[in-house]
Amino acid sequence: LKGYWQYFLKKLAWFLVTLIAAFVLNFILPRLMPGDPVAVITQRVTQGMQSATGIQRIYEEYSNLFGTNRPMIEQFFLYVRNVFQGEFGFSFSFYPRQVADVIKSSIGWTIALQFPAIIVGWLIGNTLGALAAYLKGGFDKVIMPVSIFVSNFPAFGMAVILLVIFGITLKWFPISGGYGFDLIPSMSWKFIWSVIVHYQLPFWSIVLIAIGGQAIGMRSMSIYELNADYVKYSRFLGIKDRKIIGYVFRNAMLPQVTGLALSIGTMVGGALVAEIIFSYPGLGNTILKGVMGQDYPLISATTLIVTLMVLSANFIIEIIYGLIDPRIKATQAD
Amino acid sequence: MSKKIVLVVGIFVIATMILSSCAPKAVATLTPDEIAAVAAALPRNETLYFNGQQWGAVVGWNPYSSNNNNALVVAQQDSARVTVFETPYIYNMLDGQVYPLLADGPYTWNADMTEITFKINPAAKWSDGTAVTADDVAYTWDTNVKYETSAGTGNVDYIDSITAVDKHTVSVKAKLNEDGTAVNPLLVSAYISSNYVIQKAWTQKLEERSGYDATALKADTAEDFVASGPYTKFYVDETKVVLIRDDNYWGQDASLWGKLPVPKYLAHNIFADNDAGFAALKAGEVDVSQQFNANIQTLWLDDGLPISTYLPDAPYGIGASLPTAFYNLNSYGLDQLAVRKAIAYAVDYDTIIANAMTNQSATFTQVPRSLMNPTPGEQALYDHAAVASLQWAGSDVAGANAILDDAGIVDTDGDGWRELDGVKLSYVATCPNGWSDWQAAMEIVAAAGAGIGIEITTNYPEWDVYQTVVTKSDSPLPAGYDIFMMWSDGAGPTQPWGRIRHLISSEFVGMASNWNGNWGGYANPDADALIQAIPGMSDPVELKAAYTELVRIYLTDIPSFTLMYRPQSFHAVNESVWTNFPRSDDGTNPPVPPLDLTDGYSIAGLYNLELVNP
């Protein structure tokens, strides 16, 4: 067990070092963008104002309020304090809303769109990949090229194709919004049905691309496993195919699980493309607005969340791997 | 895969979808009864849908704040948005007049033009049923000043005080110069048509809960606001905002409209971009579109949709602002009038209007260039004949070449480009990246250079960078900003004075953050003196002479040049559900301007709407 502790502590140390580095970068990078966010806000709030000195006063008021006129190092400690208090201060572009509030109101949509899409894409993709490897022949000859073709679609391409075919030409699904343009959220069937219908295009635009990538990975892993000695030996022993497939599937699954965890980690970054093309509310849209408006606190907060999720997902996987696969622990601890 | 897993995943997917639909309820403002009342759907025949105004979720409802991002509700501007909060007067950009809203009858100046007096309509009521009084007007002003709101900071240099003479009479006193004249009477009168009256009792409540702190007061989201307008908050989430008519609205009194506005709900779905909004307009999910829809005429000519604009033919709307190319007068050679004039003469404006605006702008043959927008009110303010010889329409390459040749600016080294004192004339034309209509215009400006032997290339920095550079007027513009585009003021009670001031007044040169104008650094004492004098002028003849002289100076010195005319608001309507929208030939008197039925006098349009299928 001593070896494992060593492995764990080493991983933990790396986790912390990466986190601190990422934390500092999350603060600095947005602020290195050229341009002045307070000038943008001043422009927005003083439209049509005739008093030149009045505009100047408003500019100074916002510089003071957001602290952009203070030295960078001072701003950094302010940021650290805010983060440890669990808030990220005022959002520049959504002022006077707090960053935490902005994120809270859009993260629900993102998770609701991304999480099921990732899971469904993963399940379907892996099933198809495993079947292709096992059945070979015609099935594989169709699945493989189609998967490669589909997985290489850029996300916006897939979204636009679905939008044009199923939204505009066939008119099967609505093309924008989270629910009907004339509805108010309520627990009625009409509303729930509207949500389900509006959900389809953004959902499948993410799922279809995920399926291709997962199927390719799973197929390769399965082919490798199917040729492994233990499969051949099991066949000699006369073990039923069904049982063997179970083993193969489980072994081939390991790297795919890692991929799944990482996808879930990056999920909160939002399905930017789907959100924009289908006018679907979500964190991707929010981050984009933050970047466009040079909303430092919002950019720092969202990137920090993404960083934390990815690092944590990675860390947890490594810890679990250490537990379930002694070889990893042994090599790492040396 | 076992059936169990499929079942679990299926349930999970449906559960998340339903949960997602419930997420926005956290910010919803509905009671269960209200939801039941609309049975989950807004009746299409009672709802007027908008696009192009609200981008991103609503932040607040606070009339003292400039950060509400609440496009249907709060906009204190030249044509103030009066759906929920109301101003004493409303401005009509078509005839340049103001009409009483909360006020009773026209306002009057005293003989010295230092004080305005007006009455509040005795019928005016707040949504809580109490009367709107002169005291509310006075307290609103005091609050604006005390807490340094935009309305306060923007007007405190011109307005000395606003007081209640009696329950219904308001006195607005101007700030005075040393000689006893008002600093700027124009801005004093503009205040009462561009700024809301807010209830004193509610303001005091707001002050109390924000601890009398300016930042807290302006950051309050004011969900509990009290207003006097025809609509109020109904529902808001990340995807839409809906207002509902207040059926007790005081304006149904015979002294104002005599009835309620027709649509029961005003709704604005939030679209990610113009394309999504355009698709919704085509689908009949939007009735009033305030966004740039390229080639709008194809919607009725090719697609046969019941969509129309204010004017049946190009330019389809009324231009109000003048997107302008500024010369950086510190760039080498641009201090020479001949160079500025030659470039401005050579530009092909018709192509700019056809490409960048898809003909949704009047041409310079239809409305010759001046400092005025194409509205009849402004066009009447200058003597057209007096400046006719100075008004160029563009594409005059031969004329431009002659100007340069006469000035001795010729190609001396035979490389095809002209030199000034041996140095080649080479410029960069620029505007923000992604502003496609502006970029198209800059490309045509650059093309004009090639025809007259002046090298003009284009460069498009990101908006964040661009605006920071252009608005920093206390240091010279860096390389790459020789010819650059910015906007000018639209239509309003202070126009065209405000626009002219922003285009050519030298008072903005040297400001650390110049969001006003004259970014090229032009200075002309004669122009400055006229700009200073105009607000105090009341004689129409004197005023016309002053404006004509300013146009003459502008078209002679050419410190910048207008590239196209742009409407105050885009205004296209889909008549699948509603009809009788404002139109150039609708016979309304006073004419209802095409400002989306929400701004200034265009609110009158809401009372004229009819259903296509009642």
Side-chain angles (χ1 to χ4, degrees):
Chain A
L1 203 67
K2 191 178 161 237
Y4 184 73
W5 270 110
Q6 233 173 355
Y7 169 77
F8 176 78
L9 289 175
K10 200 169 156 186
K11 288 291 162 198
L12 185 67
W14 272 115
F15 173 77
L16 291 175
V17 168
T18 325
L19 183 63
I20 291 168
F23 185 81
V24 174
L25 285 176
N26 282 343
F27 172 81
I28 294 175
L29 288 179
R31 285 163 178 83
L32 290 184
M33 286 195 290
D36 177 1
V38 176
V40 184
I41 297 166
T42 310
Q43 182 263 327
R44 195 179 66 220
V45 304
T46 60
Q47 266 169 17
M49 194 188 280
Q50 290 283 353
S51 166
T53 47
I55 293 177
Q56 199 72 30
R57 276 203 291 277
I58 286 171
Y59 177 84
E60 280 153 19
E61 183 192 331
Y62 282 103
S63 302
N64 283 329
L65 185 66
F66 298 140
T68 49
N69 53 359
R70 297 189 206 181
M72 185 84 110
I73 188 78
E74 209 178 303
Q75 290 185 47
F76 179 71
F77 286 113
L78 206 68
Y79 170 68
V80 173
R81 199 191 65 192
N82 279 339
V83 170
F84 278 103
Q85 287 174 352
E87 54 166 79
F88 292 88
F90 284 124
S91 154
F92 293 1
S93 46
F94 295 88
Y95 179 80
R97 287 174 75 185
Q98 298 276 345
V99 167
D101 176 49
V102 172
I103 294 177
K104 204 172 73 189
S105 61
S106 51
I107 202 165
W109 289 97
T110 291
I111 291 177
L113 177 62
Q114 289 265 69
F115 195 55
I118 289 170
I119 301 284
V120 170
W122 187 85
L123 286 176
I124 299 179
N126 282 309
T127 311
L128 288 178
L131 282 177
Y134 179 65
L135 296 176
K136 298 183 193 128
F139 190 75
D140 188 28
K141 285 201 174 69
V142 174
I143 284 291
M144 186 60 186
V146 168
S147 296
I148 291 176
F149 184 68
V150 169
S151 68
N152 281 299
F153 259 94
F156 68 88
M158 181 61 83
V160 169
I161 289 170
L162 292 184
L163 180 121
V164 169
I165 297 179
F166 298 102
I168 294 174
T169 311
L170 296 174
K171 296 197 192 316
W172 287 1
F173 299 105
I175 55 174
S176 76
Y179 54 87
F181 79 102
D182 57 346
L183 297 184
I184 299 283
S186 63
M187 268 302 157
S188 65
W189 276 115
K190 188 175 177 186
F191 176 72
I192 291 168
W193 179 246
S194 173
V195 169
I196 292 172
V197 171
H198 278 77
Y199 190 77
Q200 297 311 313
L201 289 184
F203 176 76
W204 288 106
S205 75
I206 302 172
V207 169
L208 284 179
I209 291 177
I211 287 177
Q214 295 293 344
I216 297 166
M218 187 61 181
R219 178 184 169 276
S220 320
M221 284 310 299
S222 302
I223 289 173
Y224 173 80
E225 290 291 335
L226 281 170
N227 293 323
D229 290 343
Y230 73 89
V231 175
K232 288 175 188 158
Y233 185 60
S234 306
R235 283 201 174 126
F236 287 141
L237 290 180
I239 294 173
K240 278 183 185 160
D241 258 12
R242 206 182 158 80
K243 190 94 180 160
I244 299 172
I245 295 300
Y247 288 130
V248 167
F249 210 72
R250 213 181 291 167
N251 286 333
M253 201 74 118
L254 262 182
Q256 301 297 99
V257 172
T258 318
L260 177 67
L262 284 179
S263 318
I264 291 173
T266 51
M267 167 182 81
V268 288
L272 181 63
V273 171
E275 286 173 17
I276 288 177
I277 290 182
F278 299 105
S279 289
Y280 207 82
L283 205 54
N285 249 329
T286 307
I287 295 176
L288 182 70
K289 284 203 189 80
V291 173
M292 301 305 277
Q294 290 191 302
D295 190 339
Y296 303 151
L298 183 60
I299 303 173
S300 295
T302 44
T303 48
L304 187 65
I305 292 173
V306 175
T307 312
L308 267 177
M309 294 283 286
V310 174
L311 285 181
S312 308
N314 238 333
F315 180 66
I316 292 167
I317 289 163
E318 286 190 318
I319 296 307
I320 293 173
Y321 265 27
L323 277 178
I324 59 179
D325 191 343
R327 285 172 301 179
I328 295 173
K329 184 175 63 191
T331 40
Q332 294 282 333
D334 285 341
Chain B
M1 189 145 335
S2 77
K3 281 178 187 165
K4 264 187 210 161
I5 293 179
V6 175
L7 187 71
V8 168
V9 169
I11 291 170
F12 169 77
V13 168
I14 290 170
T16 19
M17 284 193 290
I18 292 170
L19 274 177
S20 79
S21 66
C22 296
K25 291 186 89 179
V27 291
T29 54
L30 281 185
T31 64
D33 290 348
E34 285 170 321
I35 297 171
V38 287
L42 297 168
R44 188 67 183 89
N45 266 5
E46 295 180 43
T47 314
L48 186 70
Y49 286 95
F50 295 86
N51 76 7
Q53 304 212 49
Q54 182 73 37
W55 301 99
V58 165
V59 172
W61 306 78
N62 185 347
Y64 288 111
S65 160
S66 310
N67 292 295
N68 294 295
N69 193 34
N70 198 337
L72 281 184
V73 177
V74 188
Q76 305 194 68
Q77 55 192 10
D78 285 336
S79 287
R81 202 150 296 154
V82 287
T83 47
V84 174
F85 297 98
E86 295 187 310
T87 49
Y89 292 87
I90 38 179
Y91 178 73
N92 186 341
M93 77 161 196
L94 288 181
D95 61 8
Q97 304 295 314
V98 293
Y99 295 87
L101 186 63
L102 280 171
D104 189 13
Y107 64 84
T108 51
W109 277 104
N110 65 350
D112 302 339
M113 277 188 90
T114 56
E115 182 182 352
I116 283 178
T117 308
F118 69 90
K119 298 250 182 213
I120 289 290
N121 191 330
K125 298 274 187 300
W126 295 109
S127 47
D128 63 5
T130 57
V132 179
T133 64
D135 205 24
D136 290 315
V137 186
Y139 202 80
T140 303
W141 168 252
D142 292 341
T143 309
N144 277 324
V145 174
K146 184 176 174 189
Y147 297 99
E148 298 191 323
T149 67
S150 295
T153 328
N155 291 290
V156 75
D157 295 340
Y158 315 109
I159 296 177
D160 186 61
S161 67
I162 297 182
T163 48
V165 178
D166 58 40
K167 192 179 175 195
H168 295 301
T169 312
V170 183
S171 153
V172 185
K173 289 199 177 68
K175 272 248 163 79
L176 304 181
N177 291 312
E178 281 178 4
D179 62 0
T181 57
V183 171
N184 193 320
L186 195 54
L187 289 171
V188 177
S189 57
Y191 177 86
I192 53 178
S193 62
S194 25
N195 293 279
Y196 297 135
V197 177
I198 304 157
Q199 195 193 41
K200 180 177 176 179
W202 178 80
T203 304
Q204 287 172 329
K205 210 163 94 183
L206 175 69
E207 286 180 280
E208 207 173 311
R209 73 164 172 252
S210 50
Y212 301 91
D213 174 67
T215 307
L217 181 128
K218 286 180 278 185
D220 194 289
T221 53
E223 302 280 347
D224 64 338
F225 68 86
V226 176
S228 62
Y231 290 88
T232 190
K233 177 175 61 171
F234 181 64
Y235 178 78
V236 57
D237 69 16
E238 297 284 311
T239 68
K240 68 176 54 174
V241 50
V242 183
L243 305 181
I244 185 171
R245 190 176 59 207
D246 174 5
D247 285 354
N248 295 316
Y249 173 50
W250 74 272
Q252 56 195 306
D253 186 83
S255 61
L256 188 60
W257 307 108
K259 57 183 172 180
L260 287 171
V262 182
K264 182 165 185 191
Y265 303 96
L266 302 183
H268 194 308
N269 286 295
I270 297 167
F271 300 99
D273 54 22
N274 273 0
D275 292 338
F278 184 65
L281 172 69
K282 283 175 76 171
E285 295 176 2
V286 167
D287 301 307
V288 183
S289 172
Q290 196 297 112
Q291 60 169 45
F292 177 63
N293 299 305
N295 294 309
I296 183 95
Q297 72 283 359
T298 59
L299 293 182
W300 60 86
L301 292 179
D302 300 347
D303 302 344
L305 293 168
I307 291 174
S308 59
T309 45
Y310 185 72
L311 299 173
D313 301 305
Y316 307 106
I318 304 286
S321 75
L322 281 49
T324 296
F326 286 83
Y327 287 118
N328 174 7
L329 299 176
N330 290 316
S331 291
Y332 182 79
L334 288 180
D335 55 341
Q336 301 288 314
L337 174 62
V339 178
R340 297 200 300 272
K341 197 170 178 176
I343 294 173
Y345 273 42
V347 171
D348 182 355
Y349 301 96
D350 290 346
T351 305
I352 290 182
I353 286 163
N355 288 359
M357 292 291 289
T358 62
N359 290 317
Q360 294 178 50
S361 159
T363 66
F364 291 99
T365 325
Q366 292 166 329
V367 181
R369 63 179 61 247
S370 60
L371 284 157
M372 316 300 170
N373 69 22
T375 56
E378 285 199 18
Q379 286 295 314
L381 282 173
Y382 79 100
D383 182 351
H384 289 236
V387 294
S389 62
L390 298 169
Q391 293 169 312
W392 70 93
S395 297
D396 183 7
V397 176
N401 276 317
I403 292 167
L404 291 167
D405 291 342
D406 291 348
I409 301 169
V410 292
D411 177 17
T412 47
D413 59 8
D415 66 351
W417 302 110
R418 293 173 190 265
E419 286 87 27
L420 174 67
D421 298 331
V423 180
K424 177 177 140 187
L425 294 180
S426 174
Y427 302 111
V428 179
T430 181
C431 75
N433 188 30
W435 297 28
S436 51
D437 47 341
W438 285 26
Q439 284 176 265
M442 285 292 100
E443 287 299 330
I444 293 161
V445 169
I452 57 172
I454 294 175
E455 185 181 58
I456 304 178
T457 53
T458 53
N459 181 41
Y460 306 114
E462 290 304 313
W463 165 239
D464 296 328
V465 180
Y466 185 87
Q467 52 96 14
T468 308
V469 171
V470 169
T471 60
K472 193 168 162 43
S473 292
D474 59 349
S475 56
L477 285 165
Y481 290 80
D482 302 312
I483 303 169
F484 55 97
M485 245 185 111
M486 284 294 264
W487 51 75
S488 73
D489 294 15
T494 60
Q495 305 303 344
W497 173 80
R499 180 184 319 113
I500 296 173
R501 177 179 177 226
H502 284 156
L503 281 169
I504 57 179
S505 173
S506 68
E507 68 195 287
F508 310 120
V509 181
M511 293 181 74
S513 174
N514 172 15
W515 273 109
N516 301 275
N518 189 14
W519 293 282
Y522 174 69
N524 181 327
D526 293 343
D528 287 346
L530 284 167
I531 291 167
Q532 185 80 27
I534 283 176
M537 293 180 186
S538 50
D539 175 14
V541 178
E542 189 190 13
L543 205 55
K544 190 167 181 173
Y547 278 131
T548 307
E549 177 58 12
L550 282 168
V551 171
R552 195 195 61 73
I553 292 174
Y554 184 64
L555 296 182
T556 306
D557 286 358
I558 317 179
S560 58
F561 54 101
T562 308
L563 294 163
M564 56 182 116
Y565 296 110
R566 199 179 168 86
Q568 184 90 348
S569 304
F570 288 100
H571 177 102
V573 297
N574 186 322
E575 290 175 284
S576 307
V577 177
W578 299 99
T579 185
N580 212 21
F581 288 98
R583 207 180 293 282
S584 57
D585 56 358
D586 62 9
T588 47
N589 184 28
V592 180
L595 294 177
D596 303 313
L597 308 104
T598 52
D599 295 0
Y601 192 75
S602 81
I603 191 97
L606 285 178
Y607 296 83
N608 300 336
L609 289 182
E610 289 167 10
L611 284 168
V612 174
N613 297 309

